Amino acid sequence: MEIFDVIIIGGGQAGLSVAYFLNRHGLKFLILDDNQKAGGAWNKAWDSLQLFSPGVYSSLSGWMLPPPEKEYPTKQEFITYLEKYEKRYDFPVQRPVKVEDTIFEDGIYRVKTNKGEFYTKTVVGATGTASNPKIPHYEGVESFLGQQLHSVEYKKPTDIQGDNLLIVGGGNSGAQLVAELTQHKKVQWATLSPPNFLPDDVDGRYLFEQANKKYREYLKGEISEESYSISDIVMLDSVKDARERGVLNYRSSTFSFTPNGVVWEDGSEEAFDAVLWCTGFSTKLDYLNALNINQNGKINIKNTKVLGQEGLWLVGLGNWTGYASATIYGVGKTARRTVEEIVAYILQ
């Protein structure tokens, strides 16, 4: 029976970041990824997606993203980078492998998958959130006869049925898709709160600098306010173009559904052929169910280490697993620290 030092569940940016630092310590590890190819959740994003930071701020530890054609990398450029990153460091990856459950017995993890069982001393959950799209419940939504899809299911404008579209949700995904789809459809944008558009000269590099500053202050036990939130909207060229076209118009997402559309808060009705939900994602850790680490909807962790469970870490799932750890630029810090803790655990 082969026993690994570490099994990483998930082969996206978080899993590869952990693998990079494990490589430095000579530990025997394996990445199990349920995607058909390299690229993690980026494979599920819409075709025209652009990252909102230049290449230097869109790179993992150890190797810089090759210069993109334009200032901001495209989805495909970043997927290609992740493919080459895997090959550059010769990471051991098996895909597609779906992890079904994880069992801890006598100090060893038995990882059950659709391709058999694997054994390891430690486990890192790095599956991200894109496999669990979040759609809020609205009154009457069950009666709506039109098309509904989440942004993770959208690839290109022809995926949308009909001419009248409601896009629900702010942030960068909502703004980019409003910018794209207003060129093809009549679009109404609905957001929970007014979108916060950053100044034209502020992009992801500044957001990450703020994130790094806050991370350092957090380590010192200090708390500070950010100048900008990572959820604020970066004015990419496509979004600037939408602003020039006068289509970045939004209204409050306080409505209920009818079979043919929605009733707004003021009582007015509007018909829609389709609804595109840009409402984010939530964590899905059903592959760890047998460990019973979820206590009343909460997993207790310190840094990325799951408390009360030997040899288990979670990386890249949101701020609760390390500040800005769900971002390309931010995940390296938590990955490095995670590996330091894993090495100490295995050598104890």
Side-chain angles (χ1 to χ4, degrees):
M1 184 177 70
E2 184 177 25
I3 300 177
F4 293 91
D5 291 316
V6 190
I7 284 182
I8 302 168
I9 303 174
Q13 63 201 35
L16 296 184
S17 292
V18 174
Y20 172 80
F21 290 105
L22 285 174
N23 247 6
R24 293 172 146 195
H25 293 276
L27 295 182
K28 184 179 181 181
F29 69 92
L30 176 66
I31 301 172
L32 300 177
D33 186 36
D34 68 354
N35 291 288
Q36 293 288 333
K37 60 181 182 177
W42 295 96
N43 288 301
K44 301 176 182 178
W46 63 94
D47 292 346
S48 67
L49 180 143
Q50 272 191 294
L51 282 66
F52 55 77
S53 301
V56 67
Y57 284 83
S58 301
S59 301
L60 299 180
S61 302
W63 186 49
M64 198 72 67
L65 175 79
E69 279 193 26
K70 298 182 179 179
E71 184 178 15
Y72 300 104
T74 65
K75 162 191 167 178
Q76 190 52 54
E77 285 174 323
F78 190 68
I79 290 173
T80 300
Y81 164 68
L82 293 181
E83 290 173 344
K84 292 180 177 178
Y85 190 90
E86 274 189 24
K87 293 176 182 176
R88 179 184 179 90
Y89 296 107
D90 195 25
F91 293 146
V93 184
Q94 289 195 27
R95 62 167 59 94
V97 177
K98 180 175 176 57
V99 176
E100 297 167 345
D101 215 338
T102 306
I103 297 163
F104 188 65
E105 299 171 329
D106 301 323
I108 297 294
Y109 283 96
R110 178 161 55 95
V111 181
K112 299 174 66 176
T113 80
N114 64 337
K115 301 291 178 66
E117 296 186 345
F118 299 83
Y119 298 86
T120 179
K121 299 173 186 175
T122 64
V123 169
V124 177
T127 49
T129 58
S131 62
N132 197 27
K134 182 171 58 179
I135 297 178
H137 183 266
Y138 278 81
E139 181 183 350
V141 67
E142 298 86 357
S143 70
F144 180 62
L145 299 176
Q147 179 191 26
Q148 293 187 60
L149 69 168
H150 190 276
S151 60
V152 75
E153 302 169 294
Y154 169 80
K155 293 293 183 289
K156 56 190 181 304
T158 53
D159 292 341
I160 303 294
Q161 299 170 7
D163 297 319
N164 297 315
L165 171 65
L166 175 64
I167 295 180
V168 182
N172 283 286
S173 61
Q176 284 194 43
L177 291 177
V178 167
E180 173 165 290
L181 286 162
T182 49
Q183 299 182 68
H184 305 272
K185 311 280 183 180
K186 179 184 176 184
V187 174
Q188 176 60 62
W189 190 16
T191 64
L192 192 62
S193 56
N196 187 24
F197 298 99
L198 293 170
D200 285 6
D201 60 347
V202 174
D203 62 14
R205 76 191 90 180
Y206 298 99
L207 302 183
F208 291 130
E209 284 170 4
Q210 291 293 329
N212 288 338
K213 180 174 181 288
K214 186 168 181 181
Y215 178 77
R216 290 191 294 269
E217 292 171 351
Y218 165 76
L219 293 180
K220 296 176 184 176
E222 302 170 359
I223 299 294
S224 68
E225 292 294 324
E226 288 183 274
S227 297
Y228 300 110
S229 165
I230 287 180
S231 64
D232 291 344
I233 296 170
V234 174
M235 299 305 291
L236 297 172
D237 287 344
S238 63
V239 182
K240 291 177 186 175
D241 174 70
R243 181 182 60 193
E244 294 302 310
R245 290 187 284 118
V247 296
L248 293 179
N249 304 312
Y250 62 92
R251 61 186 302 174
S252 175
S253 56
T254 47
F255 56 80
S256 58
F257 279 91
T258 69
N260 298 314
V262 304
V263 178
W264 297 101
E265 191 175 29
D266 61 6
S268 62
E269 296 189 27
E270 189 169 359
F272 292 105
D273 300 305
V275 179
L276 178 59
W277 300 98
C278 299
T279 44
F281 304 85
S282 57
T283 305
K284 186 179 182 182
L285 296 173
D286 55 350
Y287 59 90
L288 300 175
N289 281 348
L291 300 176
N292 295 315
I293 60 173
N294 193 324
Q295 304 296 324
N296 299 317
K298 181 181 179 182
I299 298 173
N300 294 319
I301 67 170
K302 181 179 181 182
N303 300 321
T304 59
K305 175 71 181 69
V306 177
L307 299 177
Q309 177 61 53
E310 290 183 41
L312 178 62
W313 286 261
L314 301 175
V315 176
L317 302 180
N319 284 345
W320 62 286
T321 58
Y323 190 73
S325 71
T327 66
I328 304 162
Y329 191 63
V331 70
K333 292 179 176 59
T334 46
R336 179 198 296 268
R337 185 166 184 167
T338 296
V339 169
E340 289 172 355
E341 293 180 3
I342 290 172
V343 171
Y345 173 83
I346 289 176
L347 297 180
Q348 68 182 356

